[in-house]
Amino acid sequence: MVGVGGRSGGCHTCRRRRVKCDEARPKCDRCVKAKVPCEGYARDLKFVDEKGRAQKRVQIKRQAYLEAVQAEDEQFKASRQTRNSNSPENQRTPGQTKERQKQQEVGAVQECLSLAGFRDKVELTFMLNELFAGWRLFIPWVMRGYRGTDDCTTTQSVKALSSVYFARLHHDQKSLDAGMKSYSNALRLLRVDLKDNKAAYALPSVTNVLSLVIFEMLASSGGGMIQHLGGVHRLIEARGPERHQNQPELDVFEAARVGIIHQYWERKKPCFLGTREWTTIPWLKHPEVKTLLSMVIDQKAELPVLLDDMEGLRTGRRSSPSDIQDLCQRLTMQMQKLYSWRAAWEAENPNCVYSIHINDPAIPYTQALYFNAMARCVELCHYNTVLVQLHRMGRILIGATFDPTIPAGSTPIVRTNKLLLLPGDPKTVQDVGMEFLRCVQYQLTGPHRSGGIFQLIFPLRATFEVFSPGTREWQYCEDVFNLMADRGGFELCRRMMPAGICGRLLQDEGLMA
């Protein structure tokens, strides 16, 4: 794959001098104090032959998946036998039993029909119609470069993705085997592409790695996904913002950057996508496509800088009164920007939210929030995810007296969506988290089922941390993750509850009280 896990994030000068870099931006303090030129942090692409490790990963994933499928099949057969033993069909007359036996024989013949002659087409059609339903995510550029031949990297990447998705939802071992074989072929071909300077910087290299990111979300618990996301990060950073100004490059960039940003959230390191050049240059030729969704993701990209400084506060790297004052000021400015975005969203989308009554004791709310368009829901969920993290940082820095409404004082806003919280409304961090949870029902239903799942995975992981383990809200988050794994085929969802995005940094909100 692209890049090497665990590489130093230090500047070129410190790495060459073999000293520890403090990774300050734009120039590290160590170089400044030593009075030597800081050569910056730009990374060259480095390609590593991982054939042996890739084959081992494929074998491990295949064995783990086979064991999971076998366990599910045994459970299903046991439940079916229990139902059949209590069924009125067992009390039928001999004539009725004979007719039933005939029907079973016909069904057995039908089950023996093979998909071998057209399996690839069935799996591909199924994936395109189901996996990406309801949200413009990977289509049409997921197929960019697809030639349908065995020596085509895109073909093997897409076949790996479609086969494993089909296998996950239909418990089909032949599709699983085909998917794992295509995955191995895709890694081999991608390695060849990345050794070619022209192919490495071409858009299909990015889309192929993105396909493998989704493959890992379906097939494993996430380790491979993080590795492939690192590859996407390095490819996009190496391509530079100027290469993403036209379509379909801009669409690919928009879809890819969300996952990259979440990866930096976990690492608590400044993200290159939060710099001004990366939040402006890609849209210079087409400013009309810079939507409210793009703008709130820009603010998401700026958050890792604050997380990095908060981590410095926790570890003692930043502990002086001036450091704390600086963090408080930057936090206030970030909340003001976020509230200005919320005011613009309210003005542009009046009366776009309504409620549906929910009568389920397992769901911690009685009124679910529904929207007139999926895009409105996604935008609001990104907003609330950022607001939750800023709110928690405020609690750490200021303590129980932190008031999230103060930064909203200078932001004029007219309420049109009466069911939603406004910046100036009194609210706890749990209130913000609950508004997010009330959107979940809408995202899991309707024509955008799979699209909703894609949009939910990482924001839900960030939001559930605000609720105490064992509460109805926390249990609901766990139930939703399991539901997404079962209904959407995302094996990754079964592994996302134990560790949250901000980790230990935000667990003690009384740190600075």
Side-chain angles (χ1 to χ4, degrees), residues 395-406:
R395 287 276 298 180
I396 292 173
L397 290 169
I398 300 172
T401 60
F402 172 69
D403 185 353
T405 66
I406 292 177

Side-chain angles (χ1 to χ4, degrees), residues 88-293:
E89 293 180 356
N90 292 325
Q91 308 300 324
R92 289 180 173 178
T93 64
Q96 291 174 316
T97 303
K98 187 175 292 186
E99 180 63 26
R100 176 62 177 171
Q101 182 179 0
K102 182 178 179 181
Q103 292 174 355
Q104 290 175 342
E105 290 174 354
V106 173
V109 172
Q110 291 174 340
E111 289 177 359
C112 290
L113 292 176
S114 174
L115 282 173
F118 45 91
R119 180 182 293 275
D120 289 350
K121 292 182 179 179
V122 170
E123 292 171 347
L124 179 59
T125 302
F126 180 76
M127 179 193 71
L128 295 178
N129 289 332
E130 294 293 328
L131 180 57
F132 305 126
W135 184 251
R136 183 175 63 90
L137 184 68
F138 275 73
I139 299 175
W141 48 262
V142 69
M143 301 294 290
R144 189 175 181 84
Y146 187 94
R147 299 197 305 269
T149 58
D150 290 342
D151 62 344
C152 172
T153 310
T154 302
T155 301
Q156 295 298 329
S157 299
V158 172
K159 284 177 65 175
L161 180 58
S162 60
S163 294
V164 169
Y165 180 61
F166 189 90
R168 286 281 294 130
L169 295 189
H170 294 89
H171 306 289
D172 189 302
Q173 183 174 334
K174 290 184 178 179
S175 290
L176 173 66
D177 291 340
M180 292 302 179
K181 181 179 179 181
S182 294
Y183 176 69
S184 182
N185 291 336
L187 290 178
R188 174 177 54 81
L189 293 169
L190 185 61
R191 184 173 64 250
V192 174
D193 291 343
L194 295 177
K195 291 179 180 178
D196 182 319
N197 285 334
K198 183 177 181 180
Y201 288 94
L203 187 62
S205 290
V206 181
T207 59
N208 290 335
V209 182
L210 279 172
S211 293
L212 298 183
V213 170
I214 305 301
F215 172 92
E216 293 286 353
M217 294 171 68
L218 295 168
S220 70
S221 60
M225 184 202 73
I226 297 299
Q227 186 180 16
H228 290 313
L229 263 179
V232 176
H233 151 213
R234 289 173 177 82
L235 284 171
I236 286 182
E237 187 175 24
R239 283 167 55 88
E242 292 81 7
R243 293 197 186 192
H244 300 94
Q245 292 181 321
N246 298 311
Q247 300 295 359
E249 284 81 0
L250 185 55
D251 278 344
V252 175
F253 171 70
E254 286 269 40
R257 70 176 182 148
V258 178
I260 296 173
I261 291 168
H262 284 129
Q263 188 182 27
Y264 274 92
W265 276 31
E266 294 204 42
R267 294 170 55 191
K268 294 184 272 295
K269 293 293 183 182
C271 179
F272 71 97
L273 293 172
T275 61
R276 181 170 178 78
E277 61 176 351
W278 282 99
T279 57
T280 56
I281 293 177
W283 293 270
L284 285 180
K285 291 184 179 180
H286 300 281
E288 71 281 0
V289 301
K290 183 81 171 185
T291 63
L292 284 171
L293 178 59

Side-chain angles (χ1 to χ4, degrees), residues 312-428:
L313 188 67
R314 186 187 69 81
T315 59
R317 177 164 47 90
R318 302 194 62 178
S319 57
S320 68
S322 60
D323 286 336
I324 296 174
Q325 183 179 7
D326 174 64
L327 275 172
C328 289
Q329 291 175 347
R330 289 164 54 204
L331 175 70
T332 300
M333 292 176 59
Q334 197 68 35
M335 292 193 77
Q336 288 173 342
K337 287 177 60 177
L338 188 67
Y339 286 157
S340 295
W341 179 93
R342 179 64 177 82
W345 187 90
E346 187 78 9
E348 189 169 314
N349 303 293
N351 303 309
C352 68
V353 183
Y354 59 98
S355 64
I356 298 291
H357 182 71
I358 301 294
N359 186 20
D360 187 340
I363 297 179
Y365 51 84
T366 57
Q367 298 293 324
L369 298 178
Y370 276 60
F371 298 77
N372 62 9
M374 177 66 172
R376 306 291 82 75
C377 180
V378 173
E379 291 160 356
L380 187 70
C381 287
H382 280 295
Y383 162 80
N384 278 329
T385 305
V386 178
L387 182 57
V388 160
Q389 305 309 324
L390 292 175
H391 196 300
R392 298 187 71 181
M393 291 180 196
R395 287 276 298 180
I396 292 173
L397 290 169
I398 300 172
T401 60
F402 172 69
D403 185 353
T405 66
I406 292 177
S410 60
T411 304
I413 186 170
V414 178
R415 186 189 302 272
T416 63
N417 294 289
K418 298 181 180 180
L419 299 172
L420 302 179
L421 293 169
L422 289 186
D425 292 340
K427 50 187 169 293
T428 65

